[in-house]
PDB file of all heavy atoms in Angstrom:
ATOM      1  N   ARG A 173       2.839 -23.407  24.947  1.00 62.00           N
ATOM      2  CA  ARG A 173       2.870 -24.805  25.370  1.00 62.00           C
ATOM      3  C   ARG A 173       3.709 -25.622  24.399  1.00 62.00           C
ATOM      4  O   ARG A 173       3.614 -25.463  23.190  1.00 62.00           O
ATOM      5  CB  ARG A 173       1.441 -25.353  25.453  1.00 62.00           C
ATOM      6  CG  ARG A 173       0.679 -24.790  26.651  1.00 62.00           C
ATOM      7  CD  ARG A 173      -0.812 -25.046  26.541  1.00 62.00           C
ATOM      8  NE  ARG A 173      -1.411 -24.139  25.565  1.00 62.00           N
ATOM      9  CZ  ARG A 173      -2.731 -24.006  25.399  1.00 62.00           C
ATOM     10  NH1 ARG A 173      -3.564 -24.728  26.140  1.00 62.00           N
ATOM     11  NH2 ARG A 173      -3.210 -23.174  24.511  1.00 62.00           N
ATOM     12  N   ARG A 175       3.737 -28.902  23.712  1.00 55.00           N
ATOM     13  CA  ARG A 175       3.140 -29.957  22.899  1.00 55.00           C
ATOM     14  C   ARG A 175       2.406 -29.355  21.702  1.00 55.00           C
ATOM     15  O   ARG A 175       1.944 -28.234  21.736  1.00 55.00           O
ATOM     16  CB  ARG A 175       2.180 -30.796  23.738  1.00 55.00           C
ATOM     17  CG  ARG A 175       0.941 -30.061  24.230  1.00 55.00           C
ATOM     18  CD  ARG A 175       0.146 -30.947  25.169  1.00 55.00           C
ATOM     19  NE  ARG A 175      -1.136 -30.346  25.516  1.00 55.00           N
ATOM     20  CZ  ARG A 175      -1.306 -29.429  26.446  1.00 55.00           C
ATOM     21  NH1 ARG A 175      -0.261 -28.975  27.112  1.00 55.00           N
ATOM     22  NH2 ARG A 175      -2.500 -28.948  26.719  1.00 55.00           N
ATOM     23  N   ASN A 176       2.275 -30.157  20.688  1.00 51.00           N
ATOM     24  CA  ASN A 176       1.640 -29.685  19.461  1.00 51.00           C
ATOM     25  C   ASN A 176       0.441 -30.553  19.079  1.00 51.00           C
ATOM     26  O   ASN A 176      -0.046 -30.492  17.970  1.00 51.00           O
ATOM     27  CB  ASN A 176       2.664 -29.676  18.306  1.00 51.00           C
ATOM     28  CG  ASN A 176       2.171 -28.881  17.116  1.00 51.00           C
ATOM     29  OD1 ASN A 176       1.469 -27.889  17.297  1.00 51.00           O
ATOM     30  ND2 ASN A 176       2.513 -29.316  15.925  1.00 51.00           N
ATOM     31  N   ASN A 177       0.014 -31.420  20.018  1.00 54.00           N
ATOM     32  CA  ASN A 177      -1.129 -32.257  19.697  1.00 54.00           C
ATOM     33  C   ASN A 177      -2.399 -31.434  19.648  1.00 54.00           C
ATOM     34  O   ASN A 177      -2.537 -30.431  20.347  1.00 54.00           O
ATOM     35  CB  ASN A 177      -1.272 -33.374  20.748  1.00 54.00           C
ATOM     36  CG  ASN A 177      -1.514 -32.797  22.131  1.00 54.00           C
ATOM     37  OD1 ASN A 177      -0.724 -31.990  22.605  1.00 54.00           O
ATOM     38  ND2 ASN A 177      -2.590 -33.193  22.770  1.00 54.00           N
ATOM     39  N   ALA A 178      -3.328 -31.873  18.815  1.00 51.00           N
ATOM     40  CA  ALA A 178      -4.642 -31.241  18.688  1.00 51.00           C
ATOM     41  C   ALA A 178      -4.551 -29.767  18.325  1.00 51.00           C
ATOM     42  O   ALA A 178      -5.423 -28.973  18.646  1.00 51.00           O
ATOM     43  CB  ALA A 178      -5.451 -31.404  19.979  1.00 51.00           C
ATOM     44  N   GLY A 179      -3.469 -29.398  17.651  1.00 61.00           N
ATOM     45  CA  GLY A 179      -3.353 -28.015  17.196  1.00 61.00           C
ATOM     46  C   GLY A 179      -3.037 -27.014  18.275  1.00 61.00           C
ATOM     47  O   GLY A 179      -3.140 -25.806  18.043  1.00 61.00           O
ATOM     48  N   VAL A 180      -2.628 -27.479  19.477  1.00 66.00           N
ATOM     49  CA  VAL A 180      -2.369 -26.553  20.583  1.00 66.00           C
ATOM     50  C   VAL A 180      -1.235 -25.595  20.239  1.00 66.00           C
ATOM     51  O   VAL A 180      -1.324 -24.389  20.463  1.00 66.00           O
ATOM     52  CB  VAL A 180      -2.063 -27.331  21.876  1.00 66.00           C
ATOM     53  CG1 VAL A 180      -1.502 -26.395  22.951  1.00 66.00           C
ATOM     54  CG2 VAL A 180      -3.327 -27.997  22.393  1.00 66.00           C
ATOM     55  N   GLY A 181      -0.131 -26.125  19.682  1.00 72.00           N
ATOM     56  CA  GLY A 181       1.010 -25.280  19.367  1.00 72.00           C
ATOM     57  C   GLY A 181       0.669 -24.211  18.347  1.00 72.00           C
ATOM     58  O   GLY A 181       1.053 -23.043  18.498  1.00 72.00           O
ATOM     59  N   LEU A 182      -0.063 -24.577  17.299  1.00 80.00           N
ATOM     60  CA  LEU A 182      -0.455 -23.615  16.271  1.00 80.00           C
ATOM     61  C   LEU A 182      -1.356 -22.536  16.845  1.00 80.00           C
ATOM     62  O   LEU A 182      -1.195 -21.342  16.555  1.00 80.00           O
ATOM     63  CB  LEU A 182      -1.167 -24.348  15.120  1.00 80.00           C
ATOM     64  CG  LEU A 182      -1.426 -23.527  13.854  1.00 80.00           C
ATOM     65  CD1 LEU A 182      -0.113 -23.121  13.204  1.00 80.00           C
ATOM     66  CD2 LEU A 182      -2.280 -24.321  12.871  1.00 80.00           C
ATOM     67  N   THR A 183      -2.292 -22.941  17.692  1.00 79.00           N
ATOM     68  CA  THR A 183      -3.195 -21.975  18.320  1.00 79.00           C
ATOM     69  C   THR A 183      -2.428 -21.015  19.221  1.00 79.00           C
ATOM     70  O   THR A 183      -2.686 -19.804  19.219  1.00 79.00           O
ATOM     71  CB  THR A 183      -4.275 -22.706  19.139  1.00 79.00           C
ATOM     72  OG1 THR A 183      -5.002 -23.580  18.279  1.00 79.00           O
ATOM     73  CG2 THR A 183      -5.235 -21.721  19.785  1.00 79.00           C
ATOM     74  N   ASP A 184      -1.472 -21.551  19.987  1.00 78.00           N
ATOM     75  CA  ASP A 184      -0.677 -20.689  20.858  1.00 78.00           C
ATOM     76  C   ASP A 184       0.103 -19.652  20.061  1.00 78.00           C
ATOM     77  O   ASP A 184       0.144 -18.469  20.418  1.00 78.00           O
ATOM     78  CB  ASP A 184       0.276 -21.537  21.694  1.00 78.00           C
ATOM     79  CG  ASP A 184      -0.390 -22.102  22.942  1.00 78.00           C
ATOM     80  OD1 ASP A 184      -1.588 -21.821  23.136  1.00 78.00           O
ATOM     81  OD2 ASP A 184       0.271 -22.825  23.704  1.00 78.00           O
ATOM     82  N   TRP A 185       0.735 -20.096  18.981  1.00 82.00           N
ATOM     83  CA  TRP A 185       1.488 -19.144  18.166  1.00 82.00           C
ATOM     84  C   TRP A 185       0.560 -18.088  17.553  1.00 82.00           C
ATOM     85  O   TRP A 185       0.907 -16.900  17.510  1.00 82.00           O
ATOM     86  CB  TRP A 185       2.255 -19.874  17.063  1.00 82.00           C
ATOM     87  CG  TRP A 185       3.600 -20.352  17.512  1.00 82.00           C
ATOM     88  CD1 TRP A 185       4.007 -21.630  17.716  1.00 82.00           C
ATOM     89  CD2 TRP A 185       4.718 -19.529  17.842  1.00 82.00           C
ATOM     90  NE1 TRP A 185       5.302 -21.675  18.141  1.00 82.00           N
ATOM     91  CE2 TRP A 185       5.778 -20.389  18.228  1.00 82.00           C
ATOM     92  CE3 TRP A 185       4.938 -18.152  17.853  1.00 82.00           C
ATOM     93  CZ2 TRP A 185       7.031 -19.916  18.622  1.00 82.00           C
ATOM     94  CZ3 TRP A 185       6.183 -17.675  18.238  1.00 82.00           C
ATOM     95  CH2 TRP A 185       7.214 -18.551  18.617  1.00 82.00           C
ATOM     96  N   HIS A 186      -0.603 -18.512  17.087  1.00 83.00           N
ATOM     97  CA  HIS A 186      -1.578 -17.571  16.531  1.00 83.00           C
ATOM     98  C   HIS A 186      -1.961 -16.525  17.573  1.00 83.00           C
ATOM     99  O   HIS A 186      -1.970 -15.310  17.291  1.00 83.00           O
ATOM    100  CB  HIS A 186      -2.818 -18.340  16.056  1.00 83.00           C
ATOM    101  CG  HIS A 186      -3.909 -17.470  15.514  1.00 83.00           C
ATOM    102  ND1 HIS A 186      -3.960 -17.063  14.200  1.00 83.00           N
ATOM    103  CD2 HIS A 186      -5.003 -16.922  16.118  1.00 83.00           C
ATOM    104  CE1 HIS A 186      -5.020 -16.305  14.009  1.00 83.00           C
ATOM    105  NE2 HIS A 186      -5.682 -16.211  15.160  1.00 83.00           N
ATOM    106  N   ASN A 187      -2.287 -16.985  18.788  1.00 80.00           N
ATOM    107  CA  ASN A 187      -2.720 -16.059  19.841  1.00 80.00           C
ATOM    108  C   ASN A 187      -1.578 -15.166  20.316  1.00 80.00           C
ATOM    109  O   ASN A 187      -1.774 -13.974  20.567  1.00 80.00           O
ATOM    110  CB  ASN A 187      -3.298 -16.843  21.007  1.00 80.00           C
ATOM    111  CG  ASN A 187      -4.614 -17.511  20.661  1.00 80.00           C
ATOM    112  OD1 ASN A 187      -5.274 -17.131  19.687  1.00 80.00           O
ATOM    113  ND2 ASN A 187      -4.998 -18.521  21.424  1.00 80.00           N
ATOM    114  N   ARG A 188      -0.380 -15.751  20.465  1.00 82.00           N
ATOM    115  CA  ARG A 188       0.743 -14.944  20.951  1.00 82.00           C
ATOM    116  C   ARG A 188       1.118 -13.877  19.926  1.00 82.00           C
ATOM    117  O   ARG A 188       1.336 -12.721  20.291  1.00 82.00           O
ATOM    118  CB  ARG A 188       1.945 -15.845  21.235  1.00 82.00           C
ATOM    119  CG  ARG A 188       1.780 -16.902  22.315  1.00 82.00           C
ATOM    120  CD  ARG A 188       1.370 -16.397  23.682  1.00 82.00           C
ATOM    121  NE  ARG A 188      -0.064 -16.229  23.788  1.00 82.00           N
ATOM    122  CZ  ARG A 188      -0.937 -17.215  24.029  1.00 82.00           C
ATOM    123  NH1 ARG A 188      -0.518 -18.458  24.143  1.00 82.00           N
ATOM    124  NH2 ARG A 188      -2.220 -16.945  24.154  1.00 82.00           N
ATOM    125  N   ALA A 350       1.367 -14.327   9.024  1.00 94.00           N
ATOM    126  CA  ALA A 350       1.291 -15.643   9.667  1.00 94.00           C
ATOM    127  C   ALA A 350      -0.007 -15.803  10.446  1.00 94.00           C
ATOM    128  O   ALA A 350      -0.615 -16.883  10.464  1.00 94.00           O
ATOM    129  CB  ALA A 350       2.491 -15.838  10.594  1.00 94.00           C
ATOM    130  N   ALA A 353      -2.678 -16.617   8.030  1.00 92.00           N
ATOM    131  CA  ALA A 353      -2.537 -17.977   7.499  1.00 92.00           C
ATOM    132  C   ALA A 353      -2.978 -19.024   8.506  1.00 92.00           C
ATOM    133  O   ALA A 353      -3.648 -20.006   8.154  1.00 92.00           O
ATOM    134  CB  ALA A 353      -1.086 -18.217   7.094  1.00 92.00           C
ATOM    135  N   THR A 354      -2.620 -18.846   9.785  1.00 91.00           N
ATOM    136  CA  THR A 354      -2.898 -19.878  10.789  1.00 91.00           C
ATOM    137  C   THR A 354      -4.337 -19.877  11.267  1.00 91.00           C
ATOM    138  O   THR A 354      -4.845 -20.914  11.713  1.00 91.00           O
ATOM    139  CB  THR A 354      -1.968 -19.712  11.998  1.00 91.00           C
ATOM    140  OG1 THR A 354      -2.097 -18.363  12.508  1.00 91.00           O
ATOM    141  CG2 THR A 354      -0.519 -19.970  11.611  1.00 91.00           C
ATOM    142  N   GLY A 355      -5.021 -18.757  11.182  1.00 86.00           N
ATOM    143  CA  GLY A 355      -6.386 -18.688  11.706  1.00 86.00           C
ATOM    144  C   GLY A 355      -7.316 -19.717  11.092  1.00 86.00           C
ATOM    145  O   GLY A 355      -8.061 -20.411  11.807  1.00 86.00           O
ATOM    146  N   THR A 356      -7.285 -19.845   9.790  1.00 88.00           N
ATOM    147  CA  THR A 356      -8.171 -20.805   9.125  1.00 88.00           C
ATOM    148  C   THR A 356      -7.731 -22.240   9.385  1.00 88.00           C
ATOM    149  O   THR A 356      -8.571 -23.144   9.516  1.00 88.00           O
ATOM    150  CB  THR A 356      -8.219 -20.518   7.615  1.00 88.00           C
ATOM    151  OG1 THR A 356      -8.760 -19.203   7.417  1.00 88.00           O
ATOM    152  CG2 THR A 356      -9.087 -21.527   6.888  1.00 88.00           C
ATOM    153  N   TYR A 357      -6.424 -22.485   9.481  1.00 90.00           N
ATOM    154  CA  TYR A 357      -5.966 -23.826   9.836  1.00 90.00           C
ATOM    155  C   TYR A 357      -6.476 -24.236  11.214  1.00 90.00           C
ATOM    156  O   TYR A 357      -6.839 -25.398  11.433  1.00 90.00           O
ATOM    157  CB  TYR A 357      -4.434 -23.885   9.806  1.00 90.00           C
ATOM    158  CG  TYR A 357      -3.847 -24.056   8.423  1.00 90.00           C
ATOM    159  CD1 TYR A 357      -2.902 -23.160   7.944  1.00 90.00           C
ATOM    160  CD2 TYR A 357      -4.220 -25.115   7.611  1.00 90.00           C
ATOM    161  CE1 TYR A 357      -2.353 -23.309   6.682  1.00 90.00           C
ATOM    162  CE2 TYR A 357      -3.687 -25.271   6.342  1.00 90.00           C
ATOM    163  CZ  TYR A 357      -2.749 -24.365   5.881  1.00 90.00           C
ATOM    164  OH  TYR A 357      -2.218 -24.527   4.622  1.00 90.00           O
ATOM    165  N   ILE A 358      -6.494 -23.301  12.145  1.00 86.00           N
ATOM    166  CA  ILE A 358      -7.018 -23.595  13.484  1.00 86.00           C
ATOM    167  C   ILE A 358      -8.497 -23.950  13.404  1.00 86.00           C
ATOM    168  O   ILE A 358      -8.957 -24.918  14.022  1.00 86.00           O
ATOM    169  CB  ILE A 358      -6.779 -22.385  14.413  1.00 86.00           C
ATOM    170  CG1 ILE A 358      -5.283 -22.209  14.673  1.00 86.00           C
ATOM    171  CG2 ILE A 358      -7.532 -22.554  15.737  1.00 86.00           C
ATOM    172  CD1 ILE A 358      -4.932 -20.908  15.344  1.00 86.00           C
ATOM    173  N   TRP A 359      -9.246 -23.181  12.626  1.00 84.00           N
ATOM    174  CA  TRP A 359     -10.690 -23.448  12.488  1.00 84.00           C
ATOM    175  C   TRP A 359     -10.933 -24.811  11.846  1.00 84.00           C
ATOM    176  O   TRP A 359     -11.781 -25.583  12.296  1.00 84.00           O
ATOM    177  CB  TRP A 359     -11.317 -22.336  11.663  1.00 84.00           C
ATOM    178  CG  TRP A 359     -12.788 -22.478  11.443  1.00 84.00           C
ATOM    179  CD1 TRP A 359     -13.788 -22.154  12.311  1.00 84.00           C
ATOM    180  CD2 TRP A 359     -13.419 -22.984  10.265  1.00 84.00           C
ATOM    181  NE1 TRP A 359     -15.013 -22.417  11.758  1.00 84.00           N
ATOM    182  CE2 TRP A 359     -14.821 -22.924  10.500  1.00 84.00           C
ATOM    183  CE3 TRP A 359     -12.967 -23.466   9.056  1.00 84.00           C
ATOM    184  CZ2 TRP A 359     -15.742 -23.339   9.547  1.00 84.00           C
ATOM    185  CZ3 TRP A 359     -13.884 -23.876   8.107  1.00 84.00           C
ATOM    186  CH2 TRP A 359     -15.257 -23.813   8.357  1.00 84.00           C
ATOM    187  N   ARG A 374      -9.371 -27.708   3.129  1.00 87.00           N
ATOM    188  CA  ARG A 374      -8.009 -27.522   3.633  1.00 87.00           C
ATOM    189  C   ARG A 374      -7.035 -27.345   2.462  1.00 87.00           C
ATOM    190  O   ARG A 374      -6.122 -26.506   2.520  1.00 87.00           O
ATOM    191  CB  ARG A 374      -7.607 -28.713   4.499  1.00 87.00           C
ATOM    192  CG  ARG A 374      -6.161 -28.667   5.015  1.00 87.00           C
ATOM    193  CD  ARG A 374      -5.873 -29.848   5.906  1.00 87.00           C
ATOM    194  NE  ARG A 374      -6.548 -29.710   7.187  1.00 87.00           N
ATOM    195  CZ  ARG A 374      -6.032 -29.091   8.251  1.00 87.00           C
ATOM    196  NH1 ARG A 374      -4.825 -28.565   8.180  1.00 87.00           N
ATOM    197  NH2 ARG A 374      -6.705 -29.009   9.364  1.00 87.00           N
TER     198      ARG A 374
END
Side-chain angles (χ1 to χ4, degrees):
R173 288 166 285 190
R175 66 186 188 278
N176 194 34
N177 62 304
V180 168
L182 190 64
T183 301
D184 276 0
W185 273 110
H186 178 87
N187 291 341
R188 297 304 84 81
T354 55
T356 298
Y357 279 125
I358 292 169
W359 180 80
R374 176 178 288 272

